[in-house]
Amino acid sequence: MQATIRDLSQYVGQEVRLGAWMYNKRSSGKIQFLQLRDGTGTIQGVLVKNQVDPAIWEEAQKLTQESSLYVWGTVREDERAPSGYEMDVTKIETIQLAEEYPIANKEHGTDFLMDHRHLWIRSSRQNAILKIRAEIVRSIRGYLDQNNFTLVDPPILTPSSAEGTTNLFHTKYFDEDAYLTQSGQLYMEAAAMAFNKVYSFGPTFRAEKSKTRRHLIEFWMIEPEMAFVDQEENMKVQEEMVSYAVQQVLANCASELKLLGRDTKALEKIQAPFPRISYDEAVELLHREGFPEFQWGEDFGAPHETKIAESFDKPVFITNYPTGIKAFYMKPDPNRPEVVLCSDMIAPEGYGEIIGGSQRIDDPELLAERFKEYDLSDEAYRWYLDLRKYGSVPHSGFGLGLERTVAWICGLEHVRETIPFPRMLNRLYP
Ligand code: NSS
């Protein structure tokens, strides 16, 4: 019977075959303990010298770290084992004896580990992080699918920018200029007019020369867009979706969170509704709490966000930012046009902004004005302006940065561990 370590509990007392890699080995001379992993979990295989065929004993002795093998044995419950099970090995078939493995059980520097990312992802910690990433994706998709959002995939190669021109990746598209997408939003607005509630989930690219623990050059974004929905309703969807994802991770990734040493009490508190403070109130808070020189109209940096988030044990929405520091498409507050109907969701514990969202301008004249102010070419955006000519409606949406969300939920210092192969300022390899 071919089994995986994850479901060994179904095979107690039975002989099974596992395909596995050896990640560690101990021997007392009479007993060998093989630490095996198969990507679904880990288990200890036990060989007793005078109970197995001498050829098998010898084969096991030769196994090096990360050698691949088939191993046969009987599954036994064992309370002391971390997984609760052990395997009494009866037979081994080496698939490949691995060369000396570069990642040993000792401290390695970050650059070394990043250079060996293709191997590093086999380690239990990296494995746990990427499994939680997968669970976050699964739960967010689940939430949106259950709530009647249609998945629509925007293009990656685009003729123009969605979030400003300073950090665009340029490429040639035959004879034309093209850019890698920074956000699918503008296309998702078109999709919302066709399908009502939509979402996209894909890679986005920003040629940002920032070398911070929150910035990647290539990151994944979930971008819902909703027709006939205002900014208030937009925030409700965001807080529900994020609460659902956190609670799903708590329910389905307990062992991974434990391995990472994540404080799950902090995550249990993540239940909608989330607090909201206006940009104005946030500025007052900063003036009181260590940033007296902060000027109305400036954008918040990481230290400001961390200070604001400290007052809350849930994510907090900062709403109604000054028009001048936000994107061209955001709808001004009708009662106060110097601010826009928008919000950033700031994660607790200093993890910073995970969502940016807003109500979009639906008035064709105002949008045309904005195009002039921002020096955007009518030609490249003609199709976007069409959306305001043919049945324009109030609509809103948001973008959740997956990697920052993973960093927060896993409790990680840096986003580089939240994506299998990070693209950063100085890293395109492996
Ligand atoms: O620039 S955003 O704030 N907003 C947008 O792109 C909108 N067009 C989304 C929308 O309304 N459909 O980016 C959204 C989120 C932000 O809150 C971060 O969590 C994440 O995307 N983000 C990043 N993550 C990692 N690295 C970088 N460089 C990065 N930039 C944004």
Side-chain angles (χ1 to χ4, degrees):
M1 181 79 73
Q2 170 94 356
T4 53
I5 294 172
R6 187 194 183 95
D7 47 42
L8 281 185
S9 61
Q10 302 165 22
Y11 300 102
V12 174
Q14 296 179 43
E15 167 136 311
V16 294
R17 183 181 94 157
L18 289 178
W21 293 267
M22 205 208 60
Y23 76 92
N24 208 351
K25 193 165 65 175
R26 282 188 300 124
S27 175
S28 72
K30 292 195 178 112
I31 307 183
Q32 291 187 69
F33 299 99
L34 309 181
Q35 313 295 330
L36 302 167
R37 59 164 200 92
D38 73 348
T40 75
T42 61
I43 191 170
Q44 175 160 272
V46 183
L47 283 93
V48 181
K49 188 168 188 181
N50 59 18
Q51 289 174 12
V52 293
D53 188 327
I56 289 170
W57 177 264
E58 256 174 55
E59 181 120 359
Q61 275 191 319
K62 283 190 222 145
L63 290 172
T64 51
Q65 186 182 356
E66 287 303 314
S67 287
S68 47
L69 63 149
Y70 289 115
V71 51
W72 287 257
T74 311
V75 182
R76 172 165 50 73
E77 260 180 283
D78 188 316
E79 275 182 16
R80 292 160 306 171
S83 67
Y85 301 92
E86 279 196 347
M87 183 185 219
D88 291 320
V89 175
T90 51
K91 187 179 153 192
I92 284 172
E93 205 178 282
T94 304
I95 303 171
Q96 191 205 31
L97 267 188
E99 292 179 30
E100 194 182 339
Y101 195 60
I103 303 178
N105 276 328
K106 60 164 193 176
E107 281 288 312
H108 291 287
T110 305
D111 270 341
F112 177 88
L113 289 169
M114 278 295 163
D115 282 341
H116 293 85
R117 184 68 177 163
H118 50 297
L119 303 176
W120 191 25
I121 54 176
R122 300 181 185 191
S123 77
S124 54
R125 190 185 143 80
Q126 298 308 312
N127 213 266
I129 294 167
L130 295 178
K131 276 188 188 153
I132 292 175
R133 176 188 169 103
E135 177 63 21
I136 294 170
V137 171
R138 198 189 63 79
S139 60
I140 288 179
R141 282 185 182 278
Y143 173 85
L144 294 167
D145 292 339
Q146 282 157 28
N147 285 282
N148 301 320
F149 285 75
T150 301
L151 174 71
V152 175
D153 302 313
I156 288 173
L157 285 167
T158 63
S160 54
S161 115
E163 283 292 319
T165 49
T166 49
N167 55 22
L168 278 175
F169 264 109
H170 174 252
T171 182
K172 287 310 277 186
Y173 190 79
F174 307 107
D175 295 335
E176 283 180 71
D177 287 313
Y179 307 93
L180 298 185
T181 183
Q182 300 163 303
S183 156
Q185 180 195 321
L186 306 188
Y187 294 96
M188 298 313 287
E189 289 184 52
M193 303 305 135
F195 299 91
N196 198 309
K197 292 199 286 182
V198 293
Y199 74 99
S200 65
F201 173 48
T204 49
F205 305 85
R206 301 206 181 166
E208 276 173 301
K209 294 257 161 81
S210 349
K211 215 176 159 184
T212 78
R213 58 199 188 87
R214 293 177 187 168
H215 283 91
L216 291 165
I217 303 298
E218 179 179 302
F219 65 97
W220 285 65
M221 197 160 27
I222 288 135
E223 297 191 85
E225 193 70 33
M226 299 161 278
F228 310 104
V229 162
D230 65 13
Q231 170 58 11
E232 283 305 311
E233 201 58 33
N234 190 21
M235 288 191 283
K236 283 194 192 133
V237 174
Q238 295 171 41
E239 63 195 0
E240 262 191 31
M241 186 182 96
V242 169
S243 304
Y244 180 75
V246 171
Q247 297 312 316
Q248 286 295 111
V249 170
L250 279 168
N252 301 327
C253 299
S255 62
E256 285 81 8
L257 291 168
K258 186 161 174 235
L259 193 147
L260 297 173
R262 181 64 167 111
D263 170 14
T264 48
K265 287 270 172 305
L267 295 179
E268 280 162 19
K269 295 185 192 144
I270 311 304
Q271 307 268 9
F274 297 165
R276 291 140 167 77
I277 67 168
S278 67
Y279 174 90
D280 294 356
E281 287 163 340
V283 171
E284 280 169 26
L285 183 154
L286 289 176
H287 285 166
R288 284 196 309 272
E289 311 222 357
F291 296 92
E293 72 295 352
F294 190 90
Q295 298 282 318
W296 196 97
E298 286 175 28
D299 205 357
F300 300 130
H304 304 123
E305 287 179 358
T306 300
K307 176 50 80 185
I308 296 161
E310 263 174 25
S311 309
F312 306 96
D313 54 10
K314 293 182 189 186
V316 54
F317 288 107
I318 305 178
T319 67
N320 301 76
Y321 280 71
T323 311
I325 51 171
K326 287 294 183 188
F328 74 89
Y329 51 72
M330 292 189 184
K331 187 180 171 80
D333 184 336
N335 302 315
R336 212 186 143 202
E338 69 273 21
V339 300
V340 277
L341 301 176
C342 74
S343 57
D344 285 354
M345 185 192 288
I346 314 294
E349 303 172 74
Y351 288 96
E353 180 200 322
I354 54 172
I355 293 184
S358 65
Q359 186 163 339
R360 324 305 192 184
I361 293 177
D362 48 358
D363 172 34
E365 270 133 48
L366 180 59
L367 193 60
E369 245 173 66
R370 282 280 190 280
F371 270 69
K372 288 211 184 72
E373 279 168 41
Y374 285 77
D375 207 17
L376 301 169
S377 112
D378 285 358
E379 195 46 38
Y381 292 92
R382 198 174 56 237
W383 66 268
Y384 185 67
L385 291 166
D386 273 356
L387 305 177
R388 274 68 179 174
K389 285 194 215 157
Y390 305 110
S392 188
V393 299
H395 64 288
S396 304
F398 63 93
L400 174 136
L402 179 62
E403 289 74 18
R404 290 189 190 174
T405 305
V406 176
W408 161 49
I409 294 178
C410 292
L412 308 177
E413 254 313 289
H414 201 294
V415 288
R416 67 184 160 226
E417 290 180 62
T418 63
I419 182 162
F421 296 98
R423 298 292 170 245
M424 296 183 293
L425 196 50
N426 297 317
R427 180 162 298 281
L428 185 59
Y429 177 91

